[in-house]
């Protein structure tokens, strides 16, 4: 058993009151600090206060202590033990230090997972969070953002969200109109994080096929051939993006051809959707604010 003590800190050329006010907005609809959409946003089931439960992505925690404008302690679930805390320390007038500390007892397995996978990603997440603090508190000051190493990108790709199989959505009207009686249909879906584009045309490069139609929430791609017709629909609905494929074969050659292609199609569809998602996430602004839908649900909530 070892005790993990991981510390990150940064001096910010802004008053502690200004930085503390930013910290108080964590998980709020106008949160300027969560480094989404490259990372899952920090979200809780209620406004920031003791007892608020949430986290970011698969990292879960509860607010165990909170001093507005000064510090927040986030407690990991009891079975994991430990906590991490965020602190703002005043320095001379107009300057302060922001600090993030993790303290946790770890067994051999947890220690290995931390050193090989979680630790490098955590360090990068915190530094990008600090970059956003600097951007928000001193918008006119120059900033050298934290650099991603090849290892960091590989680990981030490893844990990044994966598309899940769903039923073809009824909302994909263009696709259903184009192929009313398909011989094959499948659909893959990802949750949209705050800051991801909601315009279907932004997802144009998900597959290398011609545009066959578009609407406010759907983009239709596809090709026609003598042996089969193919359509791919990208649907932005609520807080999800769904890639739906519809195929209609015309003859024996088409059926034979697709009998082979369908073996690799699910893998390729998942891969193309996920790759496009990651590209758009990295192209988005580095501090995407959360958006609250009209029904009161915070978009991108876990």
């Amino acid at each position: 058993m070892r005790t993990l003590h991981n510390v990150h800190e940064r001096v910010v050329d802004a008053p502690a009151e200004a930085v503390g006010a930013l910290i108080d907005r964590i998980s709020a609809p106008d949160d300027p600090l969560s480094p989404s959409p490259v990372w899952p946003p920090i979200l809780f089931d209620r406004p920031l206060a003791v007892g608020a439960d949430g986290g970011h992505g698969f990292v879960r925690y509860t607010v165990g202590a909170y001093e507005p404008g000064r510090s927040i302690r986030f407690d990991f679930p009891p079975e994991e033990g430990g906590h991490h805390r965020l602190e703002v320390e005043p320095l001379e007038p107009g300057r302060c230090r922001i600090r993030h500390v993790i303290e946790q007892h770890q067994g051999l397995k947890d220690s290995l997972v931390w050193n090989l996978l979680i630790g490098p990603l955590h360090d990068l997440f915190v530094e990008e969070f600090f970059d956003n603090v600097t951007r928000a508190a001193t918008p006119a000051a120059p900033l050298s953002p934290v650099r991603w190493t090849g290892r960091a990108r590989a680990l981030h790709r490893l844990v990044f969200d994966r598309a899940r199989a769903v039923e073809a959505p009824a909302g994909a009207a263009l696709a259903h109109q184009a192929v009313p009686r398909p011989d094959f249909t499948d659909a893959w879906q990802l949750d949209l994080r705050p800051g991801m584009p909601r315009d279907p045309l932004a997802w144009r490069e998900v597959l290398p096929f011609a545009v066959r139609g578009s609407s406010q929430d759907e983009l239709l791609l596809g090709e026609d051939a003598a042996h089969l017709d193919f359509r791919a629909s990208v649907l932005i609905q609520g807080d999800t993006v769904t890639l739906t494929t519809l195929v209609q074969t015309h003859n024996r050659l088409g059926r034979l051809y697709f009998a082979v292609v369908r073996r690799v199609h699910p893998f390729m569809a998942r891969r193309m959707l996920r790759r496009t998602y990651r590209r758009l996430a990295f192209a988005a602004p580095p501090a995407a604010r959360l958006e609250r839908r009209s029904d009161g649900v915070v978009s991108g909530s876990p």
Side-chain angles (χ1 to χ4, degrees), residues 121-203:
L121 293 175
H122 161 79
D123 292 343
L124 188 56
F125 178 91
V126 173
E127 289 302 320
E128 291 214 327
F129 181 92
F130 282 3
D131 283 349
N132 287 342
V133 172
T134 303
R135 287 187 182 96
T138 59
L143 172 68
S144 297
V146 59
R147 296 180 63 86
W148 286 59
T149 64
R151 181 191 180 198
R153 287 189 177 274
L155 291 174
H156 185 269
R157 187 177 295 107
L158 181 66
V159 303
F160 200 79
D161 296 350
R162 299 180 184 276
R164 58 186 177 274
V166 297
E167 295 293 328
L174 296 179
H176 294 302
Q177 291 168 10
V179 188
R181 290 183 296 275
D183 296 310
F184 171 85
T185 304
D186 74 350
W188 301 92
Q189 188 174 87
L190 279 166
D191 293 328
L192 288 171
R193 295 174 179 174
M196 293 297 293
R198 258 57 179 182
D199 181 358
L201 291 174
W203 299 75

Side-chain angles (χ1 to χ4, degrees), residues 276-295:
T276 302
Y277 191 111
R278 281 178 54 81
R279 182 182 62 79
L280 292 174
F282 276 91
R289 287 166 171 76
L290 308 186
E291 295 179 356
R292 189 176 298 275
R293 301 203 313 252
S294 59
D295 58 6

Side-chain angles (χ1 to χ4, degrees), residues 193-263:
R193 295 174 179 174
M196 293 297 293
R198 258 57 179 182
D199 181 358
L201 291 174
W203 299 75
R204 166 68 186 85
E205 296 180 13
V206 67
L207 290 171
F209 296 101
V211 174
R212 293 302 184 117
S214 64
S215 66
Q216 183 176 355
D217 55 6
E218 186 182 7
L219 174 67
L220 188 66
L221 308 171
E223 293 290 346
D224 294 337
H227 60 296
L228 60 77
D229 296 340
F230 167 88
R231 293 292 183 272
S233 160
V234 179
L235 178 69
I236 308 295
Q237 194 170 51
D239 292 326
T240 63
V241 56
T242 307
L243 175 62
T244 303
T245 302
L246 302 95
V247 176
Q248 186 170 40
T249 58
H250 299 317
N251 50 40
R252 182 179 298 176
L253 176 60
R255 291 189 291 273
L256 179 62
Y257 171 82
F258 195 70
V260 176
V261 171
R262 71 183 300 167
R263 301 282 183 176

Side-chain angles (χ1 to χ4, degrees), residues 5-10 23 26 42 56 59 61 72-74 76 83-88 97-103 114 122-123 125-127 129-130:
H5 187 72
N6 178 279
V7 180
H8 289 256
E9 57 183 31
R10 183 179 299 186
I23 299 301
I26 289 177
I42 302 171
H56 58 279
V59 183
Y61 39 81
I72 313 170
R73 192 189 76 225
F74 307 98
F76 294 123
H83 67 271
H84 62 112
R85 62 182 186 271
L86 193 61
E87 305 165 339
V88 179
R97 178 182 290 110
I98 184 171
R99 180 184 298 111
H100 183 275
V101 181
I102 284 185
E103 293 182 351
W114 171 269
H122 161 79
D123 292 343
F125 178 91
V126 173
E127 289 302 320
F129 181 92
F130 282 3

